[in-house]
Each structure stands twice: as C-alpha cells, then as structure tokens.
Amino acid sequence: TDSDSALLKFLVDTKQYGLSIVTDLEDCKNAGTDVGKRVAHLRETNFGLTFEVMSKPDPNNLAYTSEALPLHTDLANQELPPGFQFLHCIANEAEGGGSIFCNGIAVAEDLRIRDPAAFKILTTVTVPFRFHDNDSDLRYR
C-alpha cells in the first residue's frame, strides 16, 4: 500500500478498465481504508465510513442478507454517490458470495449506439432513489 508505482498502476488500470483488483493486503480491517486514503478522501455515508457485508437479523439492506446481490449501483440515493468504492474481502467463511461487476459506461455507450431512443430515456428521465430505515430516510433523483 506504500508503493507509488503500485498506486499509479492501480489508477491507470482503474481508468482503463473501470475496476482494479488489489491482492495481498494485510488481513485486517484497516488495510482497505489505507489503500483508499492513498487515492482520495474517504466520505462517510449513513452506513458509516465503512460498510461490513454480513448476514444479520432484521436487515435494512440486501447486503445484510444471505441473498445473492444482482448488478446494482450502490448509494444511488445519495446526492453525491461515491466516485470510487473499495471492497476489501478479509475472510469469507460462507458458501457463495461471489461478486460480479459491470462497466456501466460501456453499457450506456452500447445502448446509445444500438438504441438511441432508449438511451435518450436513460439520460433524460429522472428516477427517484430512496433508502429508509429506522435511522435514515434518504432520497435523491
């Protein structure tokens, strides 16, 4: 996490592919945030500075269940959603739990070329997003 050349490679790869995978981080909770702090200011959300994905009773988020997560955009209900997200897998003793990723920019560009009318709807129709639980009620269009 201290290597400037590794950081540069991470940033170049992220810009080119929209995703980077970093391996061999320490097996501790701060290792992921330490990498994140090298890239940008970390911003707190209603979930806190970090978010631990785990199954728990009476969940307020799908990530707190054992259900598979479909493709989605995190924190679309925020006025300023994250520019980067750092996912740090420390340990996974559960079955499953695989992650899938999608380059939304590439999908939108493909839609623009193949179906301009659908692309226009995607880029002009506002959609309300909401997250609410006992502590928060966040809405954004």
Side-chain angles (χ1 to χ4, degrees), residues 54-62 64-65 133-134:
M54 68 176 87
S55 184
K56 63 183 191 179
D58 196 24
N60 65 346
N61 187 290
L62 192 57
Y64 287 142
T65 73
D133 63 9
N134 292 334

Side-chain angles (χ1 to χ4, degrees), residues 76-91:
N77 58 334
Q78 305 282 317
E79 182 176 0
L80 187 59
F84 282 100
Q85 286 193 328
F86 298 90
L87 308 176
H88 181 206
C89 181
I90 298 173

